[in-house]
Amino acid sequence: MPIKIQNDLPARAILETENIFIMDENRAVSQDIRPLQIVILNLMPIKEETETQLLRSLSNTPIQLDITFLHMSTHESTHTSVSHLNKFYVTFDAIREQKFDGMIITGAPVEQMEFEEVDYWPELAKIMEWGKTHVTSTVHICWGAQAGLYYHYGIQKHEMEKKLFGVYDHRVLDRTVPLVRGFDDVFRAPHSRYTYVRKEDIAACPELIILAESDEAGVFLVQSRDGRHIFVMGHPEYDRVTLDGEYRRDRGKGMDTAVPVNYYPEDDPEERPLLTWRMHANALYTNWINFYVYQVTPYIL
């Protein structure tokens, strides 16, 4: 899929080495089609890494995407430079009058705080409310999924006894739903979190459908019945070495973080991690773009 982004976005060079088609503005204008407008609210600390991961995940359909990166104006980023944010990101005030075909709300390392304690929660709540009338379909990832379930449906998150960390097997529960089209009966996905949402709380909400779960990691994939909201409890967009980086970072801080489950060969951190989830990650985002955005969104936003 041709992804339209700014020419000098750092992720561009990485994606081009992987033969992912990145379209410049001149070529995009020459095509007599309307690209899908996708806004990515990037709440992750190291934004460049998340940019690359999500753009890679969105690169597998022939539909042209025009990407807008959004950051919080009420939060000061300490891991991404101001110059990067000023050059490649916009704030909510700059887009509040626009409409988008799709939105992605990423995770954030704030899950052990109450939602209302997060400094940018009021702004995030405004964006989620705005999305009801200005976005065709929204994907919420990890903490973003917990925040979305809490804001839209009043479903609370709960603390786990220890960090859920690794790559886990999941089962598809209803393969008639287009979001999991092409999935195997069992598929893998990475998780890295301290909190979870109870299955019974989600099942008690008639507006929601649980599409996939894991015996070890719990509920993984949920959608609203109208397809306007998708909730992904893990990180299918993660690169091969993302969990490795988190593991070494935690150990470097003196934390007693366990080796990620089902990740290193023979559970040996000196071995190259196994990449076992990319195919289903690509299928998830391709199905979202095709069935929940492209086939539903109006031509004139």
Side-chain angles (χ1 to χ4, degrees):
M1 165 172 50
I3 301 174
K4 180 185 168 189
I5 56 176
Q6 289 178 250
N7 288 340
D8 46 356
L9 184 75
R12 181 189 183 101
I14 298 172
L15 296 172
E16 286 180 335
T17 64
E18 301 176 14
N19 292 321
I20 292 175
F21 182 21
I22 305 296
M23 180 174 288
D24 62 38
E25 190 166 358
N26 291 335
R27 181 163 184 180
V29 170
S30 71
Q31 295 190 346
D32 190 21
I33 58 175
R34 181 179 83 75
L36 294 179
Q37 300 294 325
I38 307 295
V39 58
I40 298 176
L41 174 54
N42 191 350
L43 303 175
M44 294 292 279
I46 306 175
K47 300 195 184 305
E48 294 96 326
E49 183 177 282
T50 304
E51 293 159 10
T52 303
Q53 293 169 357
L54 288 175
L55 291 174
R56 181 187 292 116
S57 297
L58 291 168
S59 67
N60 289 280
T61 82
I63 302 166
Q64 186 185 132
L65 302 185
D66 193 347
I67 305 296
T68 298
F69 286 106
L70 179 64
H71 77 100
M72 292 300 201
S73 63
T74 52
H75 175 75
E76 181 178 351
S77 179
T78 58
H79 293 79
T80 301
S81 69
V82 173
S83 62
H84 185 87
L85 294 176
N86 289 341
K87 191 169 188 177
F88 300 114
Y89 282 72
V90 298
T91 61
F92 180 50
D93 284 341
I95 64 165
R96 65 166 66 243
E97 301 302 324
Q98 297 176 234
K99 291 193 174 182
F100 289 84
D101 302 294
M103 177 163 64
I104 297 173
I105 300 176
T106 74
V110 294
E111 63 202 81
Q112 291 178 289
M113 302 169 63
E114 296 297 328
F115 292 115
E116 290 83 1
E117 293 177 354
V118 178
D119 60 357
Y120 53 76
W121 178 256
E123 185 180 7
L124 177 57
K126 287 180 182 178
I127 293 171
M128 289 192 288
E129 186 63 28
W130 166 85
K132 293 179 180 179
T133 55
H134 289 71
V135 179
T136 300
S137 182
T138 299
V139 170
H140 310 70
I141 303 172
C142 200
W143 181 83
Q146 296 178 356
L149 287 169
Y150 177 71
Y151 180 79
H152 293 294
Y153 303 101
I155 299 175
Q156 185 58 268
K157 62 181 171 66
H158 301 275
E159 193 102 9
M160 301 193 319
E161 293 183 3
K162 62 179 181 177
K163 184 178 183 179
L164 184 73
F165 191 42
V167 182
Y168 297 89
D169 288 337
H170 304 77
R171 298 182 306 279
V172 174
L173 300 181
D174 187 349
R175 59 178 50 261
T176 65
V177 177
L179 190 61
V180 292
R181 184 166 295 180
F183 276 47
D184 294 325
D185 290 339
V186 177
F187 65 95
R188 285 190 161 185
H191 291 262
S192 178
R193 53 187 166 88
Y194 292 92
T195 56
Y196 74 106
V197 178
R198 292 173 179 157
K199 179 180 179 179
E200 56 266 32
D201 293 342
I202 300 172
C205 182
E207 300 171 66
L208 298 174
I209 310 169
I210 299 174
L211 300 179
E213 66 177 356
S214 165
D215 289 338
E216 297 170 286
V219 173
F220 173 72
L221 187 59
V222 179
Q223 77 162 65
S224 61
R225 293 189 180 275
D226 61 5
R228 297 289 304 276
H229 298 289
I230 311 295
F231 304 97
V232 185
M233 301 300 179
H235 283 286
E237 78 285 357
Y238 268 10
D239 292 334
R240 178 194 300 271
V241 296
T242 307
L243 292 180
D244 178 69
E246 292 185 10
Y247 172 71
R248 297 184 188 282
R249 176 202 64 201
D250 290 354
R251 299 291 288 191
K253 293 179 179 178
M255 299 171 62
D256 189 24
T257 301
V259 172
V261 174
N262 301 321
Y263 183 55
Y264 299 111
E266 307 298 327
D267 289 332
D268 182 357
E270 299 309 312
E271 295 288 331
R272 188 177 190 229
L274 296 174
L275 181 61
T276 58
W277 62 89
R278 177 66 56 77
M279 179 178 68
H280 289 90
N282 290 342
L284 175 65
Y285 283 98
T286 298
N287 289 343
W288 173 61
I289 289 291
N290 184 22
F291 297 112
Y292 297 82
V293 180
Y294 176 68
Q295 294 190 28
V296 179
T297 197
Y299 183 79
I300 299 176
L301 281 172

